Amino acid sequence: MKPVKIVLIYQSLLGIYGDRGNATVLAKRLEWRGISAELEVVEPGDPIPSDAQLYLLGGGEDMAQISAANAITADGGLYRGLESGAVLFAVCAGYQICGNSYTVGDNDTVVAGLGLLDVDTRRAPERAVGEILTRWERPDGSQSLITGFENHGGHTTLGRGARPLAAVEIGVGNANDGTEGAVQGRVIGSYPHGPILARNPQLADHLLTMATDRDMSPLDDSAIDRLRSERIAHVRRGRK
Ligand code: GLN
């Protein structure tokens, strides 16, 4: 069987807060199950392969996100990959650029996004910085907590084509409106860093199931579960 191909796009532009770890987590969780994975890190100037099952975008500085979006549009490989049925998971700046449009920093100039998610991002009244805790409804209807930290100066509003990924318990999320992230077909955007897939392996496995069309057998996540409990208790205590 061919390895599952994961492409991390422009880690030098969109790689703050260790978001690259999302790619490592996905590849490792496949390998731990005996499924071979191929992780390719693509930098600006390299062609983005169009034959991956999973693409990843991370967070980034304001100007870097504009450069990344321009290069992704010019390359076209990500679009072709998504047309072939791949999954895209995008964090923070990566999430914002997937939308219809966004602004960066204190600048209100509207920049066109990649048009992969029906969302728009505009300057927020104040920067969202801190721990975030959300409730994600899994495909089977059960709820799962997602922990991470957010640091973004934009507020994102969803159009009719996208639905929220999760509901906010603590933190700002999309726009202080109780929602976090966006899902549209096989494209998922989300604000938390952590990296989010290291802190929340249940979300990593969801992406892997989507991308491979295979159920992911349980792994021993007991050490991660202990850390999760500590973090969740900590952030809930901090709210009081
Ligand atoms: N530049 C974007 C913002 O501040 C994204 C920041 C990030 O990726 N952490 O909203």
Side-chain angles (χ1 to χ4, degrees), residues 143-219:
Q143 301 234 323
S144 178
L145 290 170
I146 294 184
T147 95
F149 71 93
E150 59 183 336
N151 183 355
H152 52 103
H155 272 180
T156 300
T157 46
L158 275 57
R160 297 169 73 90
R163 64 181 168 81
L165 172 68
V168 175
E169 183 179 316
I170 295 168
V172 174
N174 283 328
N176 238 340
D177 60 354
T179 72
E180 200 298 298
V183 182
Q184 186 168 334
R186 292 166 82 73
V187 181
I188 300 179
S190 183
Y191 269 113
H193 305 279
I196 183 174
L197 300 184
R199 284 204 191 188
N200 307 281
Q202 71 282 21
L203 186 59
D205 285 351
H206 172 63
L207 295 172
L208 291 172
T209 296
M210 273 177 83
T212 62
D213 217 9
R214 291 168 70 164
D215 285 336
M216 291 294 130
S217 53
L219 295 173

